[in-house]
Each structure stands twice: as structure tokens, then as C-alpha cells.
Amino acid sequence: QQPVQSPQAVILREGEDAVINCSSSKALYSVHWYRQKHGEAPVFLMILLKGGEQKGHDKISASFNEKKQQSSLYLTASQLSYSGTYFCGTEVIMNYGGATNKLIFGTGTLLAVQP
Amino acid sequence: DTEVTQTPKHLVMGMTNKKSLKCEQHMGHRAMYWYKQKAKKPPELMFVYSYEKLSINESVPSRFSPECPNSSLLNLHLHALQPEDSALYLCASSQGRQGKAGNTIYFGEGSWLTVV
């Protein structure tokens, strides 16, 4: 049930681009992306709700391929501040008794940006 | 304002101690969560409260006992823990959507727990 991310780790120089992939063996209803710096809480980046949707903020964007059950996070012209572990998350829809959806995190991708 | 506050930030406890972790949010969210995160691993869901009722327990051992006194507060009571329970405990909240996707979850800074 846990989404699988690739690569597990990537090292970049400032200004380089990176792509992080998230794949699920089950249907995806939404994809959430978070970044977590060492010793800190995960920070919400964006959510994609529809197949084919693409979103972006500054130089970080993401796409969602619902049919392939995949999402990709694109980091362009990377900055030192982009370093951290990136997690995708998928919602499990709870259709009973007033239960709220739960978010299952992917395996994580460690991104290190060097000067 | 997307703030979830957790206390304490660090806690060291013996295996026979009883302690509690506390969490508070003032975003009007109706769902609150406890996640556990071990080093270099993704956060793992423990409990979900929806409208102040426990709606999900991910088969967590009874030495962890959650409590939701009201819609803004969430506690995690700890008793007779084991050293392997040492981890970062994350509280989170969301609007609490039910039945359809789009439920953004916001995390607190976490409480670092060490069991000795």
C-alpha cells in the first residue's frame, strides 16, 4: 500500500534540476508532496487531485498521471534550501462511520544540494 | 496561519514512567493525527481523531493511549514504553474531509522521545 519513490537519494549542484518519482500499486485519488529537513516536521508543498493535473510554485512543480498511478516532482535550478527528504503521500478514502481519510507516506527521497 | 504546536519538544523517560505528549491547533480543523517517525523512515500513522472521536487506530500497542479533550487538543499518553519506541512523534491536523480526496494535513514540529 505504501507508495514507492525513486530515486532513494540524489546529490545535486546548485542550479541543477532533479525529478522525484512516486508510484503506487493501488489507485491514486490524490498525491500530496512534503519536504522534511533534518530534525524538523514535514512541510506541505502541494496536492494534486486530478489525473493530468500539474501544479507549481516557484521552481518546484509536480504532475499526476492517474492512469499510471504515478506522480513526479520537478525541481528546477535547485537551491541550497531545497535540501531535505521529499515524501509523496496518498490518501486512503475512508467511507465508513465518519472516519477521516488517512495519508500514507511514500518511501522518501533524500535530496542534497551542494554549492 | 497553519500552526500546530506540540509540547514537549524533547522527552526522556524510563520504561516505568508515565508521561504525555500534547498537541494544539487553532485552525478550526476537525481531524487530528498522531504519526511516529523513526530515523530515515517516513512517518507512520498511529491514530486519527475525527470530530473528537477516535476513528482510526493502526493496531498501535496499548502502551500508547490517545485522548482528544476537544477539537483543538490532542494528547498521547505514554506508559511502560520500550527503548524501541524512541522516535519523533508528530501531531497533525486537517479539515477532516470524509469520503473524498483533498484533505491537506499540516504537521507540528514534533516531540523527540527517548526511552531509556
Side-chain angles (χ1 to χ4, degrees), chain B residues 5-7 20-23 32-36 44-49 58 60 65-67 74-77 89-92 107 110-111:
Chain B
T5 56
Q6 290 187 239
T7 56
S20 297
L21 304 179
K22 297 185 183 300
C23 176
M32 296 188 76
Y33 310 74
W34 282 114
Y35 280 81
K36 173 183 176 180
E44 293 180 3
L45 183 64
M46 299 175 71
F47 302 104
V48 182
Y49 272 83
E58 296 286 82
V60 179
S65 175
E67 179 197 17
L74 185 66
N75 300 322
L76 186 63
H77 302 298
Y89 288 84
L90 294 160
C91 175
F107 286 85
S111 293

Side-chain angles (χ1 to χ4, degrees), chain B residues 4-19:
Chain B
V4 178
T5 56
Q6 290 187 239
T7 56
K9 292 204 181 323
H10 298 273
L11 178 64
V12 179
M13 60 184 291
M15 289 189 283
T16 58
N17 292 159
K18 284 186 181 180
K19 297 285 184 182

Side-chain angles (χ1 to χ4, degrees), chain A residues 62-113:
Chain A
S63 64
F64 178 18
N65 188 325
E66 195 172 7
K67 287 185 179 177
K68 290 187 177 180
Q69 297 171 186
Q70 294 175 345
S71 176
S72 295
L73 186 72
Y74 306 93
L75 301 100
T76 58
S78 59
Q79 305 167 17
L80 295 175
S81 61
Y82 287 3
S83 294
T85 301
Y86 288 79
F87 292 103
C88 66
T90 62
E91 276 180 272
V92 177
I93 309 296
M94 312 299 284
N95 285 314
Y96 64 88
T100 295
N101 300 345
K102 56 182 182 180
L103 185 69
I104 305 299
F105 282 91
T107 50
T109 297
L110 178 62
L111 179 77
V113 181

